[in-house]
Coordinates of all heavy atoms in Angstrom, one line a residue:
G1246 N 23.3 102.8 30.2 CA 23.0 103.8 29.2 C 21.7 104.5 29.4 O 21.0 104.7 28.4
L1247 N 21.4 104.8 30.6 CA 20.1 105.4 30.8 C 19.9 106.7 30.1 O 20.8 107.6 30.0 CB 19.8 105.6 32.3 CG 19.5 104.2 33.0 CD1 19.7 104.3 34.5 CD2 18.1 103.8 32.7
K1248 N 18.6 107.0 29.7 CA 18.3 108.2 28.9 C 17.1 108.9 29.7 O 16.4 108.2 30.5 CB 17.8 107.8 27.5 CG 18.7 106.9 26.7 CD 18.1 106.5 25.4 CE 19.0 105.6 24.6 NZ 18.4 105.2 23.3
P1249 N 17.0 110.2 29.5 CA 15.8 110.9 30.1 C 14.5 110.2 29.9 O 13.6 110.2 30.8 CB 15.9 112.3 29.5 CG 17.4 112.4 29.2 CD 17.8 111.1 28.7
E1250 N 14.3 109.6 28.7 CA 13.0 109.0 28.4 C 12.8 107.7 29.1 O 11.7 107.1 29.0 CB 12.9 108.8 26.9 CG 14.1 108.0 26.2 CD 15.1 109.0 25.6 OE1 15.4 110.1 26.2 OE2 15.5 108.7 24.5
D1251 N 13.8 107.2 29.9 CA 13.6 106.0 30.7 C 13.0 106.4 32.1 O 12.7 105.5 32.9 CB 15.0 105.3 31.0 CG 15.6 104.7 29.7 OD1 14.8 104.1 29.0 OD2 16.8 104.9 29.6
T1252 N 12.9 107.7 32.3 CA 12.3 108.1 33.6 C 10.8 107.6 33.7 O 10.0 107.8 32.8 CB 12.3 109.7 33.6 OG1 13.6 110.1 33.7 CG2 11.6 110.2 34.9
A1253 N 10.6 106.9 34.8 CA 9.2 106.4 35.0 C 9.2 105.7 36.4 O 10.2 105.5 37.0 CB 8.9 105.3 33.9
L1254 N 8.0 105.3 36.7 CA 7.8 104.4 37.9 C 7.9 102.9 37.4 O 7.2 102.6 36.4 CB 6.5 104.6 38.5 CG 6.2 103.9 39.9 CD1 7.2 104.3 40.9 CD2 4.8 104.3 40.3
Y1255 N 8.9 102.2 37.9 CA 9.1 100.8 37.5 C 8.5 99.8 38.4 O 8.7 99.9 39.6 CB 10.6 100.6 37.4 CG 11.3 101.2 36.1 CD1 11.4 102.6 36.0 CD2 11.7 100.4 35.1 CE1 12.0 103.1 34.9 CE2 12.3 101.0 33.9 CZ 12.4 102.4 33.9 OH 12.9 102.9 32.7
Y1256 N 7.7 98.9 37.8 CA 7.1 97.8 38.6 C 7.6 96.5 38.1 O 7.9 96.2 36.9 CB 5.6 97.8 38.3 CG 4.8 99.1 38.6 CD1 4.7 100.1 37.7 CD2 4.2 99.2 39.8 CE1 4.0 101.3 37.9 CE2 3.5 100.4 40.1 CZ 3.4 101.4 39.2 OH 2.7 102.5 39.5
C1257 N 7.6 95.5 39.0 CA 7.8 94.1 38.6 C 6.5 93.4 38.8 O 5.6 93.8 39.7 CB 8.9 93.4 39.4 SG 8.6 93.2 41.2
A1258 N 6.3 92.4 38.0 CA 5.0 91.7 38.1 C 5.3 90.2 37.8 O 6.2 89.9 37.1 CB 4.0 92.2 37.0
A1259 N 4.5 89.3 38.4 CA 4.7 87.9 38.3 C 3.4 87.2 37.9 O 2.3 87.7 38.2 CB 5.2 87.3 39.6
R1260 N 3.5 86.2 37.2 CA 2.4 85.4 36.7 C 2.4 84.0 37.4 O 3.3 83.2 37.1 CB 2.4 85.3 35.2 CG 1.0 85.1 34.6 CD 1.1 85.0 33.1 NE 1.5 86.3 32.5 CZ 1.6 86.5 31.2 NH1 1.2 85.5 30.3 NH2 2.0 87.6 30.7
F1261 N 1.4 83.8 38.2 CA 1.3 82.5 38.9 C 0.1 81.8 38.4 O -1.0 82.4 38.3 CB 1.1 82.7 40.4 CG 2.3 83.2 41.1 CD1 2.6 84.6 41.2 CD2 3.2 82.4 41.7 CE1 3.7 85.1 41.8 CE2 4.4 82.8 42.3 CZ 4.6 84.2 42.4
G1262 N 0.3 80.5 38.1 CA -0.9 79.7 37.6 C -1.4 80.1 36.3 O -2.5 79.6 35.9
R1263 N -0.7 80.9 35.5 CA -1.2 81.3 34.2 C 0.0 81.1 33.3 O 1.2 81.4 33.6 CB -1.6 82.7 34.1 CG -2.8 83.0 35.0 CD -3.2 84.5 35.0 NE -4.3 84.8 35.9 CZ -4.8 86.0 36.1 NH1 -4.3 87.1 35.4 NH2 -5.8 86.2 36.9
L1264 N -0.3 80.6 32.1 CA 0.8 80.3 31.1 C 1.4 81.6 30.6 O 0.7 82.7 30.5 CB 0.3 79.5 30.0 CG -0.1 78.0 30.3 CD1 -0.7 77.3 29.1 CD2 1.0 77.3 30.9
C1265 N 2.6 81.6 30.2 CA 3.3 82.7 29.6 C 3.7 82.3 28.2 O 4.1 81.2 28.0 CB 4.5 83.1 30.4 SG 4.3 83.3 32.2

Side-chain angles (χ1 to χ4, degrees):
L1247 283 162
K1248 306 174 182 180
E1250 52 263 43
D1251 295 318
T1252 295
L1254 188 60
Y1255 282 72
Y1256 301 88
C1257 68
R1260 204 178 296 185
F1261 290 87
R1263 300 177 181 177
L1264 295 178
C1265 309

